[in-house]
């Protein structure tokens, strides 16, 4: 029913805006970015008679013909319209992050449409678009799609990415990109060979304070960096057994967000010098970790990660510099210099993330950065292990 309403709305939009466009190529190009994805969604919906959607396509093509007397303009507009129709989005793994962030961010991004979901146990009523038990079923039986956002646990994500790339889809990898560093290289090769976008989506890097922090630090002497990232796993990951299984990263699941910010804002490459990892007696991944790191200038960088923290939780990075103390708090959403707020923003990380992914899909380029995952791998290589109290969810 909602798709039918969308189609009627598009018809109205076409009628009024196309007249007003009056041979204005820019207006029609902009209109195509709004109409195209809705047409694409309608084409993907089996409940809608294809001939009704075709009426809209035909009308828009008439608008394109009238937009300019130049063949080159009309060809360009037609190609843009087709690209926008084809811009579909598909989520695999409809868990917490898909529901909390991805669905809304996709809906807010012009040029993207969620057309299907794959998840073995999701409730079709919650999903709102065609639901499939797995990626293979979706690719075989589902609507036409161009891209896949993989929001599954990291242990199974790489195999799914390989399937999606082999099917010619652009791929967004939730963080961490996979369960190991080395398994990403074949994905990159496959993506490059087929000119498909592969995106390691480090969402925390898009938090409001991160880019201003990078710019502030660029011209300063850095004396030290301290990271404190402590949260309650029972609050954020209830029932997610995968997180304490091999490849689930344990406390590095949130900790890697801090490392993704660290490696974006510092001017030089960072490396691990020592680590201590606390493993619950009954689990395969650490529940707490302490890291010592440095860079080529010898800056002392420390990180404390703890999954056992109740109130108040803390997600902070403090950088001491020759020009004052820079503090990123709330996971990067707030930046202060010597107590004065320099940047603060609502949580818009995933919208920015999808805008970046859309750019990448337009050119088929990759954006693959494994630096945060390498630091985690090195912490496992160098880390002294302590066995601590068993953890029960
Ligand atoms: P989650 O709630 O456990 O969701 C994972 C989903 O994938 C579940 O619905 C799961 O279904 C489904 N799934 C399992 N096997 C599948 C398969 N073969 N095909 C399709 N779907 C499958 O986990 P999450 O919290 O959303 O986290 C997912 C990823 O996002 C993790 O890498 C995490 O680090 C990242 N992330 C999470 C958050 C957060 O706050 N939660 C924030 C940012 C990033 P079942 O549950 O039925 O097995």
């Amino acid at each position: 029913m909602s798709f039918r309403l969308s189609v009627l709305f598009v018809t109205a939009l076409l009628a009024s805006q196309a007249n007003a466009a009056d041979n204005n190529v820019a207006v029609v190009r902009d209109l195509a970015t709004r109409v195209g994805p809705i047409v694409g969604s309608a084409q993907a919906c089996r409940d809608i008679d294809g001939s009704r959607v075709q009426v809209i396509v035909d009308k828009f093509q008439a608008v394109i013909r009238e937009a300019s007397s130049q063949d080159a303009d009309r060809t360009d507009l037609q190609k843009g319209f087709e690209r926008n129709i084809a811009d579909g989005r598909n989520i695999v793994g409809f868990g917490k992050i898909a529901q909390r962030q991805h669905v809304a961010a996709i809906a807010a991004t012009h040029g993207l449409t969620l057309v299907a979901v794959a998840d073995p146990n999701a409730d079709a009523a919650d999903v709102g678009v065609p639901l499939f038990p797995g990626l293979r079923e979706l690719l075989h039986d589902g609507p036409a799609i161009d891209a896949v956002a993989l929001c599954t646990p990291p242990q199974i994500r790489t195999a799914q990415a390989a399937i999606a790339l082999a099917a010619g889809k652009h791929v967004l990898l939730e963080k961490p990109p996979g369960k190991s560093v080395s398994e990403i290289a074949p994905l990159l090769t496959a993506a490059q060979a087929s000119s498909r976008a592969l995106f390691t989506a480090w969402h925390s890097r898009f938090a409001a304070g991160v880019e201003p922090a990078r710019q502030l630090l660029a011209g300063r002497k850095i004396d030290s960096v301290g990271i404190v990232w402590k949260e309650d796993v029972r609050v954020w990951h209830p029932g997610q057994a995968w997180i304490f299984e091999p490849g689930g990263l344990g406390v590095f699941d949130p900790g890697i967000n801090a490392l993704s910010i660290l490696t974006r804002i510092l001017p030089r490459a960072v490396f691990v010098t020592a680590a201590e990892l606390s493993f619950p007696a009954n689990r395969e991944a650490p529940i707490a970790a302490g890291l010592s790191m440095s860079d080529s200038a010898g800056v002392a960088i420390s990180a404390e990660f703890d999954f056992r923290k109740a109130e108040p939780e803390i997600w902070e990075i403090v950088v001491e510099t020759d020009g004052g103390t820079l503090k990123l708090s709330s996971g990067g959403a707030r930046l202060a210099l010597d107590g004065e707020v320099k940047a603060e923003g609502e949580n818009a990380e995933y919208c920015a993330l999808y805008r970046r992914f859309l750019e990448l899909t337009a050119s088929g380029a990759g954006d693959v950065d494994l630096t945060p995952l390498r630091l985690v791998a090195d912490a496992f290589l160098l880390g002294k292990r302590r066995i601590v109290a068993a953890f029960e969810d």
Side-chain angles (χ1 to χ4, degrees), residues 216-224 267-268 297 299 319-324:
L216 268 173
L217 289 174
R220 286 166 205 256
K221 178 175 173 295
I222 297 170
D223 296 324
S224 66
R268 290 172 294 274
V299 173
V319 186
E320 299 294 348
T321 78
D322 60 351

Side-chain angles (χ1 to χ4, degrees), residues 95-97 119 121 156-157 160 175 240 242 253 350:
K96 289 190 181 56
I97 199 60
D119 189 290
N121 299 310
I156 57 174
R157 198 176 299 133
Q160 293 173 326
K175 51 74 28 179
Q240 293 181 342
W242 58 263
D253 177 82
Y350 277 82

Side-chain angles (χ1 to χ4, degrees), residues 189-251:
T189 305
Q192 286 167 344
S194 56
S195 298
R196 289 296 175 272
L198 180 66
F199 182 32
T200 50
W202 300 109
H203 65 87
S204 292
R205 287 180 172 176
F206 294 90
V210 173
E211 179 55 22
R214 190 189 68 78
Q215 288 174 16
L216 268 173
L217 289 174
R220 286 166 205 256
K221 178 175 173 295
I222 297 170
D223 296 324
S224 66
V225 184
I227 299 173
V228 183
W229 220 258
K230 297 184 176 183
E231 66 182 48
D232 188 343
V233 65
R234 290 189 174 91
V235 169
W236 295 98
H237 302 281
Q240 293 181 342
W242 58 263
I243 228 164
F244 284 114
E245 288 167 4
L249 301 197
V251 74

